[in-house]
Amino acid sequence: MEFAKLEISDVEKIDFSDRVIGEIIGEEEGPTIIAMAAIHGNEPSGIGAVCRVLKKIEKSEAHFKGRFIGLIGNMEALEKRQRYIDEDMNRIWSTSILDKIRRTPTPDLQTTERKEIKKLLEIIDPITSNDEANHPLIFADLHTFSSESGIFALTSRREENIELMVPLGVPLVFGIEHALQGTVSKYIQDSGEIGFSFEAGQHFSSQSENNASAGLLCLLVAAGCIQASKIEDFTHYYDYLKNQTESLPRKVEYVYKHIIEPGDDFKMRLGFKNFDAVKKGDWLATDQHGKVSAQQDGYILMPLYQQQGEDGFFIVQDCN
């Protein structure tokens, strides 16, 4: 299925001198949705997706409730098209580190990523600390991955998360927030708000931008920001996601992560895709000591086919 009525944005040609991609403030109160794109610099598809969704909503002239804002995460790494410069920006959103970043003058911060976070917090903190807000805050962290195919969302088992995510029609992955410390979505969840990661497809692919665009539109409808009937061809986007995920499991639970340590010389075997079934003992990768085998039955998730990163692959299993 093609996105015939939306042009694929050429992110390379867009001047993102402003960290705020764009914003819509509705005529009525409603949820606040923050869409974070490119917290990893080699994952720009979310930027194009946010641009397309903003244009789609503005074109519709539909009644909008609440607020939708799109932000760029790691602008320095984005410029170089690499995951990060000094440290993984999506592994340092712990309360103590964020407190130190807030208190430290920008020139004294030791890494590029901490300087980037400080600038983001200047935008995010006033939103998250709004005690007068009567509607939920929803934080969508937009990602892509290095393997081929697959769309899914990493979310907690909180009831409000599941109720919001099920209408998107993509597989829900529970528990990975316990294996990935210091993520922005975990920070938002721990703050009592709704946070999740939307994994849209392979790095730098037009399909990933399509997937993220469709996911954001479905999210805005599910959250009550806009009526589906007011979005031209909304069923096209919903069916687009559904057609890509109908053969995938609906809900899975994290059971295993392969950790890459310095000097491992980890190399994933070619050909693995998200949700490929694996059996305990299957040969999945190699490192300096030989074969790396699956330690559990299940489905493989996010096999690593890039140089930067400390997570070789995950294994998930079906759950109720």
Side-chain angles (χ1 to χ4, degrees):
M1 185 179 293
E2 298 293 334
F3 269 39
K5 295 192 176 183
L6 285 179
E7 296 180 0
I8 304 297
S9 65
D10 186 355
V11 177
E12 298 287 345
K13 296 179 181 178
I14 299 174
D15 177 17
F16 289 107
S17 56
D18 189 347
R19 190 174 299 273
V20 178
I21 303 170
E23 182 176 14
I24 293 175
I25 298 178
E27 300 171 2
E28 285 188 46
E29 290 186 356
T32 294
I33 297 180
I34 301 174
M36 172 85 81
I39 198 169
H40 292 139
N42 63 335
E43 302 178 21
S45 297
I47 301 173
V50 170
C51 289
R52 293 167 66 179
V53 168
L54 288 166
K55 290 177 182 178
K56 188 74 174 175
I57 295 172
E58 290 168 357
K59 181 181 177 182
S60 72
E61 298 182 352
H63 187 73
F64 194 88
K65 295 181 180 180
R67 180 182 184 185
F68 174 60
I69 181 170
L71 303 176
I72 298 175
N74 196 335
M75 296 183 72
E76 288 287 335
L78 177 66
E79 184 177 352
K80 294 179 171 59
R81 292 298 188 265
Q82 61 190 52
R83 183 176 174 90
Y84 56 82
I85 304 299
D86 301 311
E87 58 182 333
D88 193 325
M89 189 170 169
N90 203 30
R91 298 293 185 272
I92 50 177
W93 289 76
S94 64
T95 303
S96 61
I97 292 177
L98 294 180
D99 174 62
K100 186 182 294 184
I101 290 173
R102 290 184 179 99
R103 292 185 291 105
T104 303
T106 299
D108 295 337
L109 290 168
Q110 297 300 306
T111 70
T112 296
E113 279 67 31
R114 297 186 187 215
K115 293 175 182 178
E116 294 278 328
I117 287 178
K118 190 174 183 69
K119 294 174 183 177
L120 277 169
L121 290 174
E122 292 172 357
I123 301 170
I124 295 173
D125 279 348
I127 300 174
T128 58
S129 61
N130 182 7
D131 295 333
E132 298 180 0
N134 298 317
H135 299 275
L137 170 67
I138 301 165
F139 194 101
D141 188 19
L142 304 176
H143 284 273
T144 53
F145 39 75
S146 59
S147 63
E148 294 182 9
S149 77
I151 313 171
F152 52 93
L154 309 179
T155 182
S156 75
R157 281 186 171 273
R158 287 170 52 186
E159 183 177 349
E160 56 265 42
N161 278 56
I162 296 174
E163 288 181 356
L164 178 69
M165 302 302 297
V166 165
L168 273 63
V170 302
L172 303 184
V173 182
F174 303 122
I176 284 186
E177 70 272 15
H178 302 304
L180 297 177
Q181 298 301 312
T183 65
V184 63
S185 58
K186 181 67 162 54
Y187 164 71
I188 295 294
Q189 290 173 27
D190 290 346
S191 300
E193 309 293 351
I194 298 175
F196 69 93
S197 297
F198 188 86
E199 300 282 350
Q202 193 171 32
H203 299 329
F204 302 105
S205 72
S206 60
Q207 186 176 18
S208 295
E209 190 173 311
N210 288 341
N211 297 343
S213 301
L216 284 174
L217 285 171
C218 289
L219 174 66
L220 289 169
V221 170
C225 293
I226 193 170
Q227 294 181 11
S229 60
K230 301 300 183 181
I231 300 176
E232 183 182 4
D233 296 332
F234 175 76
T235 55
H236 173 77
Y237 303 99
Y238 178 81
D239 291 343
Y240 174 81
L241 289 180
K242 183 178 179 181
N243 290 341
Q244 289 191 80
T245 61
E246 59 186 356
S247 64
L248 302 178
R250 307 321 304 162
K251 296 177 182 178
V252 295
E253 185 84 25
Y254 155 79
V255 294
Y256 179 80
K257 177 179 78 167
H258 181 80
I259 300 171
I260 301 174
E261 297 183 304
D264 273 354
D265 193 24
F266 175 88
K267 290 183 176 61
M268 196 77 207
R269 295 189 72 194
L270 295 177
F272 284 106
K273 303 183 297 297
N274 288 301
F275 296 107
D276 278 350
V278 297
K279 293 287 187 181
K280 183 176 180 178
D282 283 352
W283 180 16
L284 304 182
T286 59
D287 63 18
Q288 63 172 338
H289 299 297
K291 293 183 178 181
V292 175
S293 301
Q295 301 298 302
Q296 301 268 0
D297 295 347
Y299 305 104
I300 197 167
L301 208 62
M302 294 185 282
L304 186 70
Y305 291 108
Q306 62 188 28
Q307 292 195 352
Q308 286 184 313
E310 292 76 42
D311 309 311
F313 56 86
F314 297 82
I315 294 177
V316 296
Q317 294 177 345
D318 287 305
C319 65
N320 295 322

